[in-house]
Amino acid sequence: MVERFKGFFDLHKGIRFVLFNIITSVGIFGGIVSLIVSGLAGMPMEQNVIIILAVIVLILSFYLANSRGLIGVASILICLLITDFLFPLMYFSGGGAYSGMPIWFVMGILFTFLLLEGKGFVLVLISEVVMTSVTLILGYLHPDWVTPIATEQGMCLDIWQSIMVIGIGIGIIIKFQTRNYDKLLRENEEKNEQLKYAIREAEEAQQQALDTSQAKSSFLANMSHEIRTPINAILGMDELLLREDLDDGIREYGENIQAAGQSLLSIVNDILDFSRIESGRLEIIPVEYGLASLIFDSYNMISLKARDKGLKMNMEFGDYLPSKLYGDEIRIRQVMINILNNAVKYTMEGSVTTRVTWDDKDGMLVIAVSDTGIGIARENIDKLFLSFSRVDEKRNRNIEGTGLGLTITKQMVELMGGTIEVESEYGKGSVFTLYIPQKIVDAENISGSIEQYRTTQHGEGYRTSFVTNGAQILAVDDVAMNLKVVKGLLAKTGIEIDVAFSGEECIERVSEKKYDLILMDHMMPRMDGIETLEKLKSEYADRLLDTPVIMLSANAIQGVREQYLASGFVDYLSKPVRGEALEKCIIKNINPEKITITIDADRSVVDPLGAMAGNEAEKESVSEEAVSVIDRICRLIPELDVEAGLEFCGGEEAFLEEMLREYAFSDRAAIIDEAYALVVGSGGKNLSDYQVQVHALKSSSATIGLMELSEQAKTLEMAAKNGDGEYVLKHNGETMAYYDKVVTIIRMVFGSEG
């Protein structure tokens, strides 16, 4: 019985259910009290009948709500029968305004607000307001319709019982609501604490997942570097073996080692790129670049593989192609090679066609590669870009690959703000289209002449434009390799070149001799180029009369020329220095009596794509040994841009070989490590020496064609310049590991020369 009673007030059945039972219980109790008081107060019999009817309605409603679940019907029944019908009758039969009935009208309206919702609430409330208002107005206008309470004591007693019943009833409702609110508040606080705990757990789990992912990516990156170095060494040594006079069996083994090693190296490179992307360490670094060079460099890297398979390689161009663009040339070249390589890999016969167009409306470089290969089934196209996924595995089991190439390509394109689209017909071929946003630097249309690029860009080469009449210049740079470059580029001019490795040494040289021109590096330890010029002007102004000082710097940002000219330099050349630019600068600034304008017809240039300027005798002037050294280094360091290196070395392969040797054996790792130790010791704050050293690494790497390493060093230099010690601490190790690798490989090749 007790449990059944408690069930009437069980909050699990809903707050409206409990409120209904509280109000009807108060009403039934109040009705019983009213009957008792009515008898004591001598109320008319009809008043008692009406009270009994009200109690019966309340009991019936209680039954409908609790036994039949008709709480809505029961609530409306109470409002219409009691508040709108019985209460007005009780008002007129039980004393009117001079009784407790006005308070019961309040109880009726309160009941409506607590239990009804929606349209039913609105309609019932309107009916109650109308009926209550009409009852009170009629009682006022027709007081003779109201049966008064017989005695003043009875009137007071009726008002008292109404106040007590309604007051206690409302108090119970308020108490219930307050306790329920407090309970809900406590439950919400508990839930909030649980939610906070769950959020903390989720954050910890997320951080743990990120840490795990970063640890995995770091592990992959480190392992890729560790594995790639010995693979490069194996391939290099194998290449040296293949150049020996071997019997057919051993040669076949060597060739198999070479093929397997190249395949393994490709897989490791894919894993390295994938891990960089996953860990967020792959950065997009935009630069100015020539579109023709990008297209044909990518084409040439794949064309030999295509010819070996008997495939035809086609090139098509849109009506308009700008000559120079601004974007991440290295990444665009990489994704283009990936798509081309994929097309050749999955094409057994027929052709691979590359079409390059420019979308002027959206500022997009559009590269479409189509093939006549095996194609992709419609249901497999969505799987193409999933990591470690290869479609149609059964049919493609003999084709090498990790399933990462297209994943990396898509992610790189998206990092550059572009998209990649695929169209394919199973068994007939595929078309992969890259849309990459780029900015135009030079809008000259090269579409009509781009095919001539392979034969004209490197055909003639720059010839020495002057010879000296006793001119003497001083070249100042803290990197010996940069000084060798200057000497090499000017070797055939006959100009006499002194060198200085620091600002202090430059001042000492100038104190001893008057020079016709000074080439000054900017970023040097202790005293930079600008400080050196200021000191020269203050101490040796007389020796600088008629001696132009030219700034040589790898700072190629906008406005830097104006800054150098404002600092007192008469001209500025960006590093790596090109022979033509250097000679033009000297002709422009040196005393014309010191030089004679001429052309050295004996100078020849090697074409990195295979064509050589000059006659047959000139071709023979380049030693077979020099060509083989560069060729071996390229095999071991595929990212070495020989074309760029030759451009910076005046087109001479022998000179480029000398620069490669200088780069490897004047190892700067110890100097950079010493500067980096200061960064570590200061918590990433002492960055000035480090900035100078990575600046030197940037320019020397670019000089020999290691453009990717140069870009990494440039990023570190800019971070140091901007005071971003955190970036330096995070990325120095990766760049130095890359530097150590290339230095080790170049040393190994030169070591094998005896």
Side-chain angles (χ1 to χ4, degrees), residues 300-316:
N300 288 328
M301 289 190 70
I302 304 299
S303 59
L304 182 60
K305 186 175 181 179
R307 285 198 297 271
D308 289 342
K309 292 184 70 173
L311 302 178
K312 185 179 180 182
M313 291 283 284
N314 302 316
M315 294 290 291
E316 298 177 358

Side-chain angles (χ1 to χ4, degrees), residues 673-688:
D673 287 345
E674 184 178 340
Y676 179 67
L678 295 175
V679 178
V680 175
S682 64
K685 294 182 179 179
N686 193 344
L687 296 163
S688 55

Side-chain angles (χ1 to χ4, degrees), residues 281-296:
R281 292 187 299 163
L282 189 71
E283 297 180 16
I284 300 302
I285 304 174
V287 296
E288 292 182 10
Y289 67 91
L291 182 56
S293 173
L294 170 76
I295 293 169
F296 283 107

Side-chain angles (χ1 to χ4, degrees), residues 70-205:
L70 301 174
I71 188 171
V73 174
S75 298
I76 293 173
L77 185 66
I78 291 172
C79 292
L80 294 178
L81 289 180
I82 296 179
T83 308
D84 286 354
F85 180 67
L86 295 179
F87 278 2
L89 293 178
M90 292 170 67
Y91 180 86
F92 286 107
S93 65
Y98 299 99
S99 69
M101 279 311 301
I103 301 174
W104 283 97
F105 280 114
V106 174
M107 184 66 177
I109 293 173
L110 177 63
F111 179 91
T112 304
F113 271 96
L114 289 173
L115 295 182
L116 296 182
E117 295 289 344
K119 291 182 180 179
F121 161 74
V122 175
L123 293 173
V124 170
L125 181 62
I126 291 172
S127 70
E128 287 179 345
V129 170
V130 170
M131 288 301 295
T132 302
S133 300
V134 169
T135 300
L136 293 174
I137 291 170
L138 288 175
Y140 173 76
L141 295 175
H142 301 280
D144 54 313
W145 293 4
V146 179
T147 302
I149 298 174
T151 65
E152 205 172 295
Q153 290 87 347
M155 182 179 63
C156 290
L157 185 61
D158 185 66
I159 294 173
W160 172 82
Q161 65 89 18
S162 297
I163 291 173
M164 290 299 103
V165 172
I166 302 303
I168 291 171
I170 293 175
I172 291 172
I173 292 170
I174 293 173
K175 197 72 172 176
F176 164 76
Q177 291 283 55
T178 304
R179 285 188 175 181
N180 186 55
Y181 174 78
D182 290 340
K183 182 180 179 182
L184 290 174
L185 193 62
R186 287 194 301 271
E187 289 177 352
N188 283 335
E189 288 176 350
E190 290 174 1
K191 287 179 180 178
N192 284 337
E193 287 300 319
Q194 292 173 356
L195 183 60
K196 288 178 182 177
Y197 179 73
I199 291 172
R200 282 197 301 270
E201 282 193 325
E203 289 174 346
E204 289 173 2

Side-chain angles (χ1 to χ4, degrees), residues 98 170-171 198 203 246 355 373 404 413 430 523 625 657 663 672-673 699 734 749:
Y98 299 99
I170 293 175
E203 289 174 346
L246 305 172
R355 178 170 177 77
L404 284 177
V413 169
S430 306
M523 301 294 289
E625 179 183 2
E657 178 191 343
Y663 183 87
I672 295 176
D673 287 345
S699 61
E734 179 183 347
V749 174

Side-chain angles (χ1 to χ4, degrees), residues 190-461:
E190 290 174 1
K191 287 179 180 178
N192 284 337
E193 287 300 319
Q194 292 173 356
L195 183 60
K196 288 178 182 177
Y197 179 73
I199 291 172
R200 282 197 301 270
E201 282 193 325
E203 289 174 346
E204 289 173 2
Q206 183 184 27
Q207 188 59 48
Q208 187 176 5
L210 287 172
D211 291 343
T212 302
S213 177
Q214 288 179 355
K216 179 194 72 175
S217 298
S218 297
F219 171 77
L220 286 174
N222 292 332
M223 286 306 297
S224 294
H225 280 301
E226 294 298 324
I227 294 171
R228 195 161 58 171
T229 300
I231 290 174
N232 283 322
I234 291 168
L235 290 174
M237 292 300 180
D238 185 60
E239 173 66 20
L240 296 176
L241 282 174
L242 289 173
R243 292 183 178 275
E244 300 296 330
D245 187 14
L246 305 172
D247 63 55
D248 292 343
I250 294 177
R251 179 167 295 279
E252 183 179 354
Y253 295 152
E255 289 171 351
N256 289 340
I257 291 172
Q258 193 71 208
Q262 291 292 350
S263 177
L264 181 58
L265 186 60
S266 175
I267 292 170
V268 171
N269 287 338
D270 280 350
I271 292 173
L272 177 59
D273 284 332
F274 182 70
S275 67
R276 281 178 176 174
I277 292 170
E278 268 203 332
S279 60
R281 292 187 299 163
L282 189 71
E283 297 180 16
I284 300 302
I285 304 174
V287 296
E288 292 182 10
Y289 67 91
L291 182 56
S293 173
L294 170 76
I295 293 169
F296 283 107
D297 286 355
S298 305
Y299 172 89
N300 288 328
M301 289 190 70
I302 304 299
S303 59
L304 182 60
K305 186 175 181 179
R307 285 198 297 271
D308 289 342
K309 292 184 70 173
L311 302 178
K312 185 179 180 182
M313 291 283 284
N314 302 316
M315 294 290 291
E316 298 177 358
F317 309 101
D319 295 334
Y320 172 72
L321 290 176
S323 63
K324 284 189 177 180
L325 297 174
Y326 183 78
D328 194 328
E329 179 188 14
I330 293 173
R331 300 305 172 201
I332 298 174
R333 191 190 304 261
Q334 187 172 351
V335 298
M336 187 174 175
I337 290 170
N338 278 352
I339 296 298
L340 280 167
N341 186 61
N342 222 48
V344 171
K345 187 163 60 173
Y346 288 98
T347 303
M348 302 304 124
E349 58 182 17
S351 63
V352 173
T353 301
T354 304
R355 178 170 177 77
V356 183
T357 57
W358 176 258
D359 182 350
D360 200 41
K361 180 182 177 182
D362 297 321
M364 292 273 190
L365 177 63
V366 183
I367 303 170
V369 177
S370 57
D371 61 64
T372 58
I374 60 179
I376 306 156
R378 185 180 300 275
E379 63 270 17
N380 286 330
I381 289 180
D382 291 340
K383 303 175 186 176
L384 278 175
F385 302 106
L386 297 178
S387 306
F388 301 102
S389 173
R390 299 184 68 197
V391 300
D392 209 351
E393 189 73 50
K394 184 176 181 181
R395 185 172 64 151
N396 301 330
R397 63 186 182 277
N398 294 324
I399 298 176
E400 64 184 29
T402 60
L404 284 177
L406 287 177
T407 304
I408 293 167
T409 297
K410 183 174 185 291
Q411 291 176 330
M412 282 186 177
V413 169
E414 289 176 349
L415 280 173
M416 291 185 283
T419 57
I420 180 170
E421 293 180 357
V422 184
E423 296 177 12
S424 186
E425 186 174 350
Y426 194 68
K428 292 189 177 181
S430 306
V431 180
F432 286 79
T433 307
L434 307 172
Y435 298 89
I436 306 173
Q438 300 286 277
K439 293 180 181 177
I440 296 178
V441 175
D442 188 339
E444 179 189 355
N445 186 6
I446 59 170
S447 180
S449 59
I450 192 171
E451 278 287 5
Q452 303 172 14
Y453 172 82
R454 277 180 276 188
T455 56
T456 60
Q457 186 179 11
H458 307 286
E460 188 67 22

